[in-house]
């Protein structure tokens, strides 16, 4: 379907996520094998969509590629004959995320991010999964050959729902593991990132390095001492402590990892360990967003700054597209439903594993057994996601409540049921109609 082609139709769902859209479009424009095609930008908010479309148009013109650009306020007008549909949407946008964290904090739950695990992830799943499946079902009718490229969090839950309940091919991507590997190469081992060969597996935002190799040498036995001597252990103290406890180093850094282990997000522990990432107050994220807005302003009003978006974002979506179109084999971290890839995690659980990609599609690699404690942690999150995806699609409060009681961060909460009800009540305008009848 894709092999040998040079023109493609891309649809971006949630294109008002301005810099993410720009970076991914920049990656597409930077691929020599892609000569042009169509870019369809979809967002329900015309106010944010309009400037993004203008900036994308200027970026395309600067790159000199032959792309037609169109905007849409509903996905149905954009999907027909699409090749790749990119999910970068967040139901409720930034405002809802901030409100989620404030409500969870009021009930005593700290979350360093609040988008993968914890009650923040619970309400995200209830908001986001119905839309993911709804779009995929429409794709079955109008573009059944297309791939969904998912960047919407929680990544694992999104991929579980799409792969379990629809016939659409998909891959869920996260740069966290390769970014951590690059950090270990440069800052810990003092080598170029391409010199460190690695394998990792687990679940999204909690993968574990199984192998670390430089020039044919196993460097895992050196890792603990190197982390200490380089100062990286002090930079990522939670990840370092988990290495000593579980025997493997994890990715993608403390900001995400600490949410899987509620001990680290207790007030006394955060202060004692002097953690950089405490309860999410959005100050750092606000700074990132301001920087992103400035980049957009340079393109829109100064006709400059194009190189930032054309130099490569570090995201890997175009690596997959390149493999499908040219046959060049790549290996990337992908979220897939386990089918024996990790032998001591149940089939049906969503996992993140290295995956070969070629002209015929995606081929997840066999990992074997993870250490028992690590497998247990991955299994637990996977089963929480199974409950939550069904809760989202069925409007089932009881399953959502069960997931709350299984979630490690809810252990900080005196009233998980009250927190769930508060989150649902605040989000009724963003949830399917069935929740309003309960």
């Amino acid at each position: 379907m894709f092999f040998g082609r040079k023109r493609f139709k891309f649809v971006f769902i949630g294109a008002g996520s301005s810099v993410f859209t720009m970076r991914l479009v920049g990656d597409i424009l930077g691929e020599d094998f892609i000569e042009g095609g169509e870019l369809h930008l979809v967002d329900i908010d015309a106010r944010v969509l309009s400037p993004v479309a203008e900036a994308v148009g200027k970026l395309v013109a600067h790159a000199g590629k032959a792309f037609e650009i169109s905007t849409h306020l509903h996905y149905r007008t954009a999907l027909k004959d699409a090749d790749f549909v990119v999910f970068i949407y967040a139901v409720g946008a930034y405002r809802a995320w901030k409100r989620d964290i404030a409500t969870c904090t009021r009930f005593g739950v700290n979350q360093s991010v609040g988008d993968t695990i914890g009650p923040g992830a619970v309400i995200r799943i209830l908001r986001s999964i119905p839309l993911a499946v709804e779009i995929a079902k429409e794709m079955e009718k109008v573009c059944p050959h297309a791939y969904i490229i998912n960047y919407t969090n929680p990544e694992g839950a999104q991929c579980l729902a799409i792969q379990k309940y629809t016939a659409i091919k998909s891959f869920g991507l996260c740069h966290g593991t390769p970014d951590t590997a690059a950090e270990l190469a440069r800052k810990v081992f003092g080598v170029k990132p391409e010199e460190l060969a690695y394998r990792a597996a687990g679940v999204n935002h909690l993968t574990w390095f199984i192998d670390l190799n430089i020039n044919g040498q196993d460097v895992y036995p050196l890792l603990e001492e190197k982390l200490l001597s380089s100062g990286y252990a002090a930079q990522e103290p939670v990840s370092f402590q988990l290495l000593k406890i579980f025997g493997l180093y994890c990715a993608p850094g403390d900001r995400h990892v600490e949410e899987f282990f509620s001990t680290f997000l207790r007030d006394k522990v955060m202060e004692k360990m002097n953690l950089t990432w405490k309860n999410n107050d959005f100050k750092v994220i606000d700074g990132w967003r301001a920087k992103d807005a400035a980049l957009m302003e340079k393109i829109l009003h100064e006709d400059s700054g194009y190189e930032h978006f054309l130099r490569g974002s570090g995201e890997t979506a175009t690596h997959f597209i390149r493999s499908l179109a040219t046959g060049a084999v790549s290996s990337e971290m992908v979220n897939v439903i386990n089918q024996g890839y990790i032998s001591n995690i149940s089939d049906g659980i969503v996992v993140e594993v290295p995956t070969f990609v070629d002209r015929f599609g995606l081929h997840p690699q066999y990992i074997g057994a993870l250490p028992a404690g690590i497998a247990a942690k991955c299994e637990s999150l996977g089963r929480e996601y199974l409950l939550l995806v069904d809760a989202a699609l069925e409007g089932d409060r009881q399953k959502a409540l069960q997931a709350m009681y299984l979630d490690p961060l809810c252990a900080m909460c005196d009233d998980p049921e009250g927190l769930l009800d508060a989150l649902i009540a605040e989000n009724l305008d963003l949830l399917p109609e069935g929740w309003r009848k309960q």
Side-chain angles (χ1 to χ4, degrees), residues 6 8 70 92 100 125 159 176 230 289 301 322 355 365 370-371:
K6 298 181 180 298
F8 304 92
S70 64
D100 296 343
I125 290 170
C159 294
S230 66
R289 287 168 62 87
H301 302 299
R322 185 192 312 136
T355 298
Q365 298 177 32
L370 292 174

Side-chain angles (χ1 to χ4, degrees), residues 207-258:
T207 55
W208 302 80
F209 290 101
I210 303 163
D211 299 300
L212 294 171
N213 188 289
I214 299 175
N215 296 325
Q217 178 188 359
D218 177 12
V219 294
Y220 231 126
L222 309 176
L223 180 59
E224 186 170 336
E225 186 278 325
K226 289 282 190 181
L227 288 166
L228 288 167
S229 62
S230 66
Y232 201 76
Q235 179 181 326
E236 303 285 345
V238 172
S239 300
F240 181 69
Q241 187 164 332
L242 292 174
L243 168 67
K244 294 195 293 183
I245 294 168
F246 290 98
L248 295 180
Y249 195 78
C250 55
D254 286 5
R255 177 172 177 257
H256 279 292
V257 164
E258 63 194 35

Side-chain angles (χ1 to χ4, degrees), residues 16 23 29 52 54 56 89 93 107 110-111 116 128 141 149 164 174 223 254 330 343 376 388 394 432:
R23 286 174 178 160
L29 296 173
V52 172
E54 182 182 351
V56 167
Y89 70 84
F107 276 79
N110 295 325
Q111 296 165 109
T116 303
S128 297
K141 302 172 188 174
I149 303 173
K164 183 176 181 180
C174 180
L223 180 59
D254 286 5
S330 63
S343 59
L388 285 170
E394 298 166 7

Side-chain angles (χ1 to χ4, degrees), residues 8-225:
F8 304 92
K9 177 176 177 177
F10 298 93
V11 178
F12 291 83
I13 308 292
S17 178
S18 58
V19 172
F20 215 150
T21 300
M22 291 288 286
R23 286 174 178 160
L24 295 175
V25 170
D27 290 347
I28 291 168
L29 296 173
E31 289 289 348
D32 291 338
F33 75 92
I34 300 177
E35 293 181 352
E38 302 173 35
L39 299 170
H40 294 258
L41 310 178
V42 182
D43 203 289
I44 62 172
D45 189 342
R47 294 172 301 171
V48 298
L49 184 58
S50 179
V52 172
E54 182 182 351
V56 167
K58 297 184 76 168
L59 185 64
V60 169
H62 181 83
K65 291 287 183 81
F67 276 97
E68 298 177 16
I69 302 165
S70 64
T71 60
H72 308 259
L73 296 179
H74 199 287
Y75 65 81
R76 285 196 180 92
T77 63
L79 288 178
K80 185 174 174 56
D81 298 326
D83 295 308
F84 298 99
V85 179
V86 186
F87 282 5
I88 48 177
Y89 70 84
V91 175
Y94 196 44
R95 173 186 62 84
W97 186 12
K98 282 191 165 183
R99 186 178 63 194
D100 296 343
I101 296 296
T103 301
C104 294
T105 302
R106 193 170 73 247
F107 276 79
V109 180
N110 295 325
Q111 296 165 109
S112 49
V113 184
D115 70 354
T116 303
I117 196 167
V122 169
I123 194 62
R124 269 184 181 249
I125 290 170
L126 298 184
R127 287 195 302 253
S128 297
I129 293 301
L131 179 60
V133 172
E134 179 183 303
I135 295 172
K137 290 293 186 183
E138 181 68 15
M139 290 173 63
E140 291 175 352
K141 302 172 188 174
V142 301
C143 55
H145 68 281
Y147 275 90
I148 289 174
I149 303 173
N150 183 75
Y151 282 105
T152 292
N153 282 320
E155 181 84 70
Q158 290 276 123
C159 294
L160 173 65
I162 295 163
Q163 294 171 25
K164 183 176 181 180
Y165 289 111
T166 83
I168 293 296
K169 301 184 292 292
S170 67
F171 46 93
L173 305 177
C174 180
H175 55 76
T177 303
D179 282 1
T180 302
E183 288 266 295
L184 292 176
R186 285 191 297 261
K187 296 183 178 181
V188 177
F189 290 106
V191 300
K192 296 178 181 178
E194 57 268 26
E195 294 181 66
L196 177 66
Y198 67 90
R199 283 202 314 157
V203 293
N204 184 239
H205 290 156
L206 186 67
T207 55
W208 302 80
F209 290 101
I210 303 163
D211 299 300
L212 294 171
N213 188 289
I214 299 175
N215 296 325
Q217 178 188 359
D218 177 12
V219 294
Y220 231 126
L222 309 176
L223 180 59
E224 186 170 336
E225 186 278 325

Side-chain angles (χ1 to χ4, degrees), residues 405-423:
Y405 273 87
L406 290 174
D407 191 280
L409 293 185
C410 288
M412 290 188 277
C413 180
D414 292 336
D415 184 11
E417 186 167 7
L419 174 53
L420 175 63
D421 287 340
L423 289 168

